[in-house]
Amino acid sequence: METTFKTVQSSKVTISELMLPSHSNFSGKIHGGYILSLMDQIAFASASKFSGNYCVTASVDTVDFLNPIEVGELVTMKASVNYVGRSSMIVGIRVESEHIQTGKVKHCNSSYFTMVAKDSDGKNASVPGLILSHYDEVRRFYNCLKMIAVRKDKKDHEEAFDYKSEEALSNLSNYNVRVEIC
């Protein structure tokens, strides 16, 4: 079977939305959960556009909220597929907000969503290969490879680490914690 390939460009999606008072939290800033919901939507759109299939979110990499988003600002999210596996894709998302009166733009966060393509029976579907056309796309692909390796190392560490050992428990004295196991 011949593998098809698609460019990163074919996965690019941009959405913009004006932030309303109904999107704010108790401190008057835009609620992080609302932003995460928008990020999930654009990750779905990018992955589905690229794969031609319905896609589900498998994981979300670290989301660091770098700058608060204010009511009345225009939020723009840009997403593209940065990595593909057999049925999975890592979608990179950049979130910026713009103060409409001044034009000042803030980088609010970036994150990576791992999306999995599904066929009509709900089984994992193959995705096209990825054509990298610019050095930035190559850089993003390599960053995804590093992210996958770190995830694997973490999983291996969690499986192998003996947290019940005397050594592990005694090392906890270096932290602001007290162990009281019954």
Side-chain angles (χ1 to χ4, degrees), residues 49-161:
K49 181 179 176 184
F50 181 81
S51 69
N53 288 291
Y54 177 79
C55 294
V56 296
T57 306
S59 71
V60 178
D61 201 56
T62 303
V63 179
D64 293 321
F65 293 96
L66 306 172
N67 288 296
I69 300 171
E70 306 289 339
V71 170
E73 289 184 332
L74 183 65
V75 168
T76 299
M77 296 186 182
K78 298 174 184 176
S80 64
V81 171
N82 292 345
Y83 168 89
V84 297
R86 284 188 296 277
S87 61
S88 65
M89 297 152 282
I90 297 179
V91 177
I93 304 168
R94 181 178 174 94
V95 180
E96 297 177 337
S97 68
E98 179 182 357
H99 188 282
I100 291 178
Q101 284 85 19
T102 66
K104 182 180 178 193
V105 175
K106 298 181 291 190
H107 177 207
C108 298
N109 72 44
S110 294
S111 188
Y112 300 91
F113 280 54
T114 300
M115 307 297 288
V116 177
K118 297 291 185 176
D119 65 18
S120 57
D121 296 326
K123 295 188 168 103
N124 290 0
S126 295
V127 299
L130 190 62
I131 298 171
L132 305 174
S133 306
H134 303 283
Y135 287 119
D136 268 350
E137 294 171 359
V138 173
R139 177 183 55 80
R140 289 183 187 115
F141 186 86
Y142 268 111
N143 285 343
C144 289
L145 291 176
K146 286 189 241 176
M147 215 169 32
I148 292 166
V150 166
R151 229 185 264 161
K152 184 181 179 327
D153 286 347
K154 181 181 177 203
K155 183 179 176 187
D156 290 347
H157 174 75
E158 287 173 354
E159 290 174 0
F161 182 68

